[in-house]
Amino acid sequence: MTLALLAYLAGVLTILSPCILPVLPFVFARADKPFVTSTLPMLTGMALTFAGIATLAAVGGAWVVQANQAGRFIALALFIAFGLALLFPAIAERLTAPVVALGNRLTNHVNAQGASIGASLLLGAATGLLWAPCAGPILGLLLTTAAIQGASVETSLMLLAYALGAATSLAVALFAGGRIFTALKKSLGAGEWIRRGLGAAVLAGAAMIALGLDTGLLTRLSASGTERFEQALLDMGGGSASGENAMAMEGGAAGDAMMMSGAASGEAPELAPSFEGGVLWLNSRPLSIEQLRGRVVLVDFWTYSCINCLRAMPYVEAWAEKYRDRGLVVIGVHAPEFAFERDPGNVRRAVRDLGVSYPVVLDNELAIWRAYGNRYWPAHYFIDANGQIRHRHFGEGDYDESERVIQTLLAEAGYDVPTDIVNVSAGGVGAAPDNSRARTPETYIGYGRRENFASAEQRTRAVHAFETPASLGSNEWGLSGAWQVEREYAEVARAGGTISMRFRARDLHLVLAPGAAPVRYRVTIDGRPPGAMAGMDVNAAGEGVVREQRLYQLIRGGGEGERTFRIEFLDPGARAFAFTFG
């Protein structure tokens, strides 16, 4: 209830944010109509549509974003017809195309004494498609929680509470505006001019949205406005936009561990949840915890573009091979971070290329993730022969300790267990990190989790020309050329687009995806070809090709100090998701 109230109050504050400006003309175009049959249905349609689209976009991946983009275009066309009809009634009378005919009907409703509830709901739904509120701390918390925890009644209600808060403040403004318009009509006979002025305002609002100003310039203008109030609300409610429930994190090189529980510690062990919710099993028929009673089970949460997971995987594979005939079953739970990691074909190819031999279940809806209460990639859960979780380890490292846990649980179950420890010497992306040199944190390219971005901010799905500053500070990065920035990634729109990064680490990786065709790229380090520092996915001249959606190792052996990395895409279409280092 506290979070619902905070979400509602944050929605109320949107009336103070510049991001509300583009939709105000659409709302005020009906300010002089009856509240129950016009204003209320319109605001209801707007709130319901926004809550539904926001929920789907947070949990549904890229296809929802694309579908919503198409919906925005349709809504813009509808409101352009609406605005033209308000501005030039004669135009509406001459047009006979279906969309314009719809505009005619809407115009007639607007000009009538009382607009129909159906038309008002339709206009409200279109407004909800166009509305892109500035993502302050509270809305950011709601969206990231929905993305990690999945679709639920709770997250949808929280988003609806936010939208209803915005609708409330708009209703108050409409009530005042309606009284002013009525007074003007009576005293000045200005109804025709008001109608034309509203038509011009609707067209101006449509132009702002089409140009991306609603998610670009206006977002930046609002950054220091309502966010202060929202953060104060969060502080009063005891929450935090960067708190434990905000997002899942990749484990670091030295992971956190929960020690053995059970008789030795005096605590009651927890029964392991099932694997219900997995959408597909690879390397095995579907398995259940009940079927595996009597065996020791290691559950490994991973995703194939996660560098920490890839570095832990050689150890997991070695344990699976060493103890397979001695009572151990390893289950890989593939829990995707990016939308492309939901594709079974991509995961199947990664499992094959990485040489994963143990069973893998695809947890595309994060159902198993939530059942275990997990928050990290990678995460290892050690389950004894009675189906109880006895040990947890998050992140990389502590491999000897983890193997000792496996040996202890196998011995408890009566298996003959060797006492030696596996000796793993992994290469490529699986090589252990050099923590003495790795100082640059994981860095996301999409605007949803972007930090240390040195180029001018532009949060819009329209193509934008970026420029990287001549000098980058520590851990800063920038875009140059024509890019379209989305929540998860940035897509290079024309050949020649670059990403530059000032980093300190031995290895530099970049999660990339091709467009409709493979994309060539060229990398440099401190302005020169990488030579001996070339990673697995480039040659000494720094040349490579993006052919698959995965993590690419671009620099290996970056030296002791800070270096400047630059990648230039020689073809359009590549998508860049995140830098990782080692």
Side-chain angles (χ1 to χ4, degrees), residues 258-327:
M258 293 184 64
M259 301 307 293
M260 290 280 286
S261 61
S265 63
E267 298 178 3
E270 173 189 351
L271 283 175
S274 71
F275 300 123
E276 291 183 7
V279 300
L280 179 68
W281 284 79
L282 305 178
N283 296 337
S284 170
R285 59 180 173 79
L287 300 174
S288 69
I289 290 294
E290 291 74 17
Q291 292 173 333
L292 297 174
R293 291 290 172 85
R295 309 288 294 274
V296 173
V297 179
L298 169 59
V299 177
D300 172 27
F301 284 91
W302 70 293
T303 187
Y304 81 83
S305 74
C306 160
I307 185 60
N308 308 96
C309 304
L310 296 177
R311 290 197 289 246
M313 187 167 289
Y315 292 89
V316 178
E317 182 64 43
W319 297 333
E321 179 65 27
K322 179 178 179 180
Y323 299 104
R324 180 175 288 118
D325 298 328
R326 294 183 169 94

Side-chain angles (χ1 to χ4, degrees), residues 121-180:
L121 280 171
L122 179 60
L123 283 173
T127 307
L129 286 171
L130 294 178
W131 184 35
C134 303
I138 294 178
L139 182 57
L141 173 60
L142 295 177
L143 292 175
T144 53
T145 301
I148 293 302
Q149 295 184 354
S152 69
V153 174
E154 181 182 2
T155 55
S156 296
L157 288 178
M158 295 302 102
L159 290 166
L160 181 59
Y162 182 91
L164 289 176
T168 301
S169 56
L170 286 173
V172 173
L174 273 171
F175 179 76
R179 296 176 68 92
I180 293 172

Side-chain angles (χ1 to χ4, degrees), residues 401-459:
E401 177 193 359
S402 293
E403 187 170 2
R404 294 297 184 195
V405 171
I406 294 172
Q407 292 174 348
T408 299
L409 296 181
L410 288 173
E412 286 182 4
Y415 291 97
D416 183 19
V417 183
T419 58
D420 62 306
I421 299 296
V422 297
N423 182 18
V424 173
S425 180
V429 295
D434 184 347
N435 295 321
S436 65
R437 283 190 279 176
R439 294 290 185 270
T440 301
E442 182 177 22
T443 301
Y444 290 87
I445 307 300
Y447 67 75
R449 296 168 67 179
R450 185 165 61 192
E451 294 181 347
N452 299 325
F453 186 52
S455 300
E457 289 283 346
Q458 181 71 14
R459 296 191 176 190

Side-chain angles (χ1 to χ4, degrees), residues 74-381:
I74 295 172
L76 277 176
L78 172 64
F79 276 110
I80 288 173
F82 180 34
L84 288 173
L86 285 170
L87 194 57
F88 305 110
I91 293 179
E93 298 175 1
R94 298 190 184 97
L95 299 176
T96 58
V99 173
V100 180
L102 176 60
N104 285 336
R105 291 195 292 273
L106 291 174
T107 303
N108 292 334
H109 283 304
V110 170
N111 290 331
Q113 287 295 319
S116 74
I117 294 177
S120 299
L121 280 171
L122 179 60
L123 283 173
T127 307
L129 286 171
L130 294 178
W131 184 35
C134 303
I138 294 178
L139 182 57
L141 173 60
L142 295 177
L143 292 175
T144 53
T145 301
I148 293 302
Q149 295 184 354
S152 69
V153 174
E154 181 182 2
T155 55
S156 296
L157 288 178
M158 295 302 102
L159 290 166
L160 181 59
Y162 182 91
L164 289 176
T168 301
S169 56
L170 286 173
V172 173
L174 273 171
F175 179 76
R179 296 176 68 92
I180 293 172
F181 290 163
T182 301
L184 282 172
K185 284 184 177 181
K186 289 181 178 180
S187 61
L188 302 176
E192 180 68 15
W193 288 106
I194 290 176
R195 183 180 57 75
R196 291 186 178 182
L198 288 172
V202 167
L203 292 177
M208 292 177 70
I209 293 172
L211 293 173
L213 295 179
D214 59 328
T215 55
L217 174 63
L218 297 182
T219 296
R220 296 200 302 276
L221 290 177
S222 72
S224 60
T226 61
E227 286 192 8
R228 295 195 303 271
F229 297 104
E230 288 192 37
Q231 190 60 55
L233 289 174
L234 278 172
D235 294 340
M236 287 189 295
S240 172
S242 59
E244 185 180 53
N245 294 323
M247 65 184 68
M249 301 294 292
E250 290 193 19
D256 297 323
M258 293 184 64
M259 301 307 293
M260 290 280 286
S261 61
S265 63
E267 298 178 3
E270 173 189 351
L271 283 175
S274 71
F275 300 123
E276 291 183 7
V279 300
L280 179 68
W281 284 79
L282 305 178
N283 296 337
S284 170
R285 59 180 173 79
L287 300 174
S288 69
I289 290 294
E290 291 74 17
Q291 292 173 333
L292 297 174
R293 291 290 172 85
R295 309 288 294 274
V296 173
V297 179
L298 169 59
V299 177
D300 172 27
F301 284 91
W302 70 293
T303 187
Y304 81 83
S305 74
C306 160
I307 185 60
N308 308 96
C309 304
L310 296 177
R311 290 197 289 246
M313 187 167 289
Y315 292 89
V316 178
E317 182 64 43
W319 297 333
E321 179 65 27
K322 179 178 179 180
Y323 299 104
R324 180 175 288 118
D325 298 328
R326 294 183 169 94
L328 177 68
V329 176
V330 176
I331 305 292
V333 179
H334 187 272
E337 179 178 17
F338 299 117
F340 68 80
E341 293 173 313
R342 296 172 180 263
D343 186 338
N346 288 343
V347 182
R348 195 185 301 275
R349 181 174 59 248
V351 166
R352 182 193 65 229
D353 293 346
L354 294 169
V356 178
S357 63
Y358 47 83
V360 173
V361 57
L362 275 61
D363 189 23
N364 280 0
E365 304 305 322
L366 299 183
I368 305 172
W369 174 287
R370 293 193 297 273
Y372 276 77
N374 188 50
R375 300 199 55 75
Y376 300 92
W377 296 281
H380 299 143
Y381 292 78

Side-chain angles (χ1 to χ4, degrees), residues 533-578:
M533 291 183 287
M536 290 180 58
D537 294 298
V538 295
N539 58 24
E543 300 166 336
V545 181
V546 183
R547 301 184 187 275
E548 301 168 347
Q549 299 165 319
R550 62 176 176 86
L551 179 143
Y552 288 74
Q553 187 185 78
L554 303 176
I555 297 296
R556 180 68 191 275
E560 296 293 335
E562 287 189 339
R563 317 297 290 266
T564 299
F565 166 86
R566 183 176 183 269
I567 181 169
E568 178 184 6
F569 295 95
L570 307 181
D571 305 296
R575 294 177 175 181
F577 291 80

